[in-house]
Structures are given as structure tokens and as C-alpha cells.
Amino acid sequence: MRRRRRRADWATRLPTWREACPALIAGALKRASARPSGNWFVVGASRDVRAGGRPCGRTVGGVEVVLWRSDAGELQAGPGACPHLGAPLRDSRVRCGTLVCHWHGLVLDGGSFAGWDPYPVHDDGVLVWVRLDTVGGEEPSERPVVPVRPAAGSGVDAVFQAVGRCEPQDVVANRLDPWHGSWFHPYSFVDLTVARPPRGEEEDDAFVVDVSFRVTGSLVAPVRAEFTAPEPRTVVMRITEGEGVTSVVETHATPLTGEADERPRTAVVEAVVAASDRRGFALARAAAPALRPLMRRTAARLWRDDLAYAERRWALRSTGRFPA
């Protein structure tokens, strides 16, 4: 942590438009889009699907999905429509670990029944993923591409979710443009410079960024971070030097509508996993339930602006005023 003595006026910042070359951002996006996802999609926070709790309903690529847990905590997922008469299973109940349809009492235990077949699902401890082969259209994989995070139990995690009128690529493109940070988010970032853009090689396809996170007033936390895209719908910011080394911010973009929809909608599911070697961080871990709402509010402020960016990008692409 350090105090920043001077408070630069917004209009006096050095322009970054030359460095934020559209071709460079488009190249990083193209390489990310070409990486395999195995047809896995992030659908929410692991803690939102609780053993003994209500089922959760999600939509991915126009496909209804229902998720629930058995009494032992095992995650289950499948089509969101009851195979009997199409009731929305998200409104049903979980009894003794089985899903009971609230229209006629049909019971689903997570196995195949009358054309209702379960979806592969993965709980990585922070996020829940569902594999939808008809939506992804790729070669399926056994597990999703889960980013490397701080060691289990060493961090504090929070998950923020929002929805925008755009496509996943517009969300990813926003994250692959770190130059906008200090201009568009001066309330959170100062002294941002891109120390090294991607070199267009798989082994070195990262944006290396030096930036100070605004803590309070003139108090800032300078760090070096890397932005990478391990799969088409995920961008990871990992702190490599400075306060909170190994901490990550994972931004996952999940399409809610199908490809043919003229008014696409995309869910942003952002997981923050914060870690620190400071002595007092153990207190932060103990206070995690109280800290999570604050972490989500911080993310909400950023995404209020970043979704405007992504939605604007889609609007321009959809009308031919910006390259698709």
C-alpha cells in the first residue's frame, strides 16, 4: 500500500487510444475464440446451489437448465422442462435429494427418465459449470478449463452476476482492452500502463499491466497483473507482483440466448478470489460472509460501465458500423 500524493485530473491523463490498437485487441479475441471450451458454460456460484435448498434455474444458449444438490451435496443438472407436461422444474421442490415436479409430483433422481437426460456438471468450489454439447458444438471434454486460483482455503471469494444485451465476445473484448481502465474507471484504477501487450504466441499471449487499485482516497495498492483468456468465454486477471499476489478475477461470459436470436443477452459471472500473505488476512477469511457483499458491490460499479461498453460494441457490430 502507498499514498498517492497527487490527484491527477481526469482530462490530464495521457491518451491511450494509440496503444489500444483495434487490431491488437481483435487478434487477442480471435485467439481466445479458437481455444477449446469442451462445451462447458459457467452458470453461477457454487454456494447458490445448496443441499436441501430449492433448485436453481438457468438458461444457456436458449436451453433451460435446472440444478440441485442431493442430500449428500452432489450436484445434479438436467433439462429445465419436466418430461411429463413441460412444467418449469426451477419452481419445483427437492425432497430427500430428488427433484419433485410441482405440477404432478413426477420424481427425478438425476438419472435418465422418459427422454429427460442429465447434463454433465462440474463444481470447482467457487463456480458451477454445465456441459451443453448442443450449444457448444465442440468436441466435449470431461472437465472445464478452470483457471488456476490461490490454494483452497487460503483466499476469500465472491461471485457477481449481471446480464447485458450483447454476445459473449463483446464481454471478452472489454476485458482484453485493459487500456480503458484508468479512463473509464478512475474511481477504481490509477497509474495504469500496459507494460507488455500479447506477442501473439500461445506461450506468451498475455497483457501485462501495471496498475494501482484505489483503496480509499489517496491510498492505493500498486500491482502487476496479467490478463489471459484460457478459453473462448473466460478472461482471467491474475496478480503476479505487489499486494495480493496470486489473487484472481475471473470473468466468464455465458450466452443466455441462441445464436439466431436478434436480441442476444449474455450473463457475466465474475469470480474474485482474493489472497494475501499479510498477517491480518486470516481475519478477512473469517469475515468472508460480511466481505462478500462489499466485493460484489465493487464489481457491480465496474460492470455498470463495462456492460455499457459491451452493449455499445454489440450495437455497432449488429448494424455494420464496427467489424464483427
Side-chain angles (χ1 to χ4, degrees):
M1 298 281 188
R2 67 177 176 84
R3 290 201 173 275
R4 192 172 185 275
R5 296 174 184 244
R6 58 188 176 86
R7 189 178 182 86
D9 181 74
W10 184 84
T12 65
R13 291 186 178 89
L14 291 176
T16 58
W17 65 271
R18 292 184 187 277
E19 291 80 5
C21 175
L24 194 155
I25 297 169
L29 177 63
K30 183 178 180 180
R31 292 190 296 275
S33 300
R35 294 181 182 119
S37 72
N39 302 328
W40 289 93
F41 298 84
V42 169
V43 291
S46 177
R47 64 175 57 86
D48 287 348
V49 190
R50 301 188 306 276
R54 297 286 299 271
C56 292
R58 298 289 187 268
T59 301
V60 178
V63 175
E64 283 186 276
V65 179
V66 65
L67 304 102
W68 78 97
R69 290 191 191 273
S70 69
D71 288 347
E74 182 183 0
L75 191 64
Q76 309 278 359
C82 179
H84 175 224
L85 284 174
L89 292 174
R90 65 177 180 273
D91 297 331
S92 297
R93 301 288 187 274
V94 178
R95 292 291 182 268
C96 300
T98 61
L99 191 62
V100 182
C101 178
H102 67 303
W103 276 16
H104 300 93
L106 186 145
V107 176
L108 296 167
D109 62 4
S112 297
F113 180 85
W116 187 98
D117 295 312
Y119 296 137
V121 67
H122 181 76
D123 184 349
D124 65 28
V126 177
L127 298 170
V128 168
W129 307 66
V130 170
R131 199 184 82 196
L132 297 173
D133 296 337
T134 58
V135 177
E138 300 178 14
E139 184 71 24
S141 61
E142 186 177 349
R143 290 286 183 269
V145 182
V146 179
V148 176
R149 298 172 179 152
S154 67
V156 175
D157 67 90
V159 178
F160 169 78
Q161 302 181 57
V163 175
R165 193 175 297 284
C166 60
E167 294 178 330
Q169 66 155 295
D170 301 302
V171 173
V172 173
N174 168 272
R175 278 297 182 259
L176 295 179
D177 168 20
W179 291 276
H180 80 273
S182 59
W183 280 93
F184 211 31
H185 310 297
Y187 46 82
S188 291
F189 308 123
V190 294
D191 303 328
L192 188 153
T193 59
V194 176
R196 193 183 74 232
R199 295 174 178 169
E201 303 168 359
E202 283 300 314
E203 61 272 14
D204 189 9
D205 197 18
F207 291 87
V208 179
V209 177
D210 292 324
V211 62
S212 291
F213 292 95
R214 206 182 283 280
V215 181
T216 56
S218 61
L219 188 64
V220 299
V223 303
R224 170 162 283 197
E226 290 187 357
F227 288 75
T228 56
E231 57 112 74
R233 293 176 291 275
T234 300
V235 177
V236 180
M237 185 208 76
R238 176 172 291 103
I239 295 178
T240 57
E241 297 178 27
E243 184 70 28
V245 169
T246 73
S247 297
V248 297
V249 178
E250 301 173 12
T251 303
H252 302 272
T254 299
L256 302 182
T257 48
E259 286 188 4
D261 199 299
E262 294 182 355
R263 297 171 66 85
R265 296 170 71 243
T266 294
V268 174
V269 184
E270 186 160 275
V272 179
V273 187
S276 175
D277 57 5
R278 287 178 176 265
R279 281 184 172 182
F281 193 71
L283 296 175
R285 287 198 301 271
L291 287 176
R292 287 188 183 110
L294 177 61
M295 295 166 73
R296 285 193 289 267
R297 282 197 296 272
T298 300
R301 188 179 187 187
L302 289 168
W303 275 107
R304 177 196 63 196
D305 295 333
D306 280 340
L307 273 177
Y309 176 124
E311 290 177 337
R312 173 69 173 175
R313 186 180 187 276
W314 175 79
L316 293 174
R317 288 194 306 107
S318 66
T319 55
R321 289 178 287 168
F322 194 82

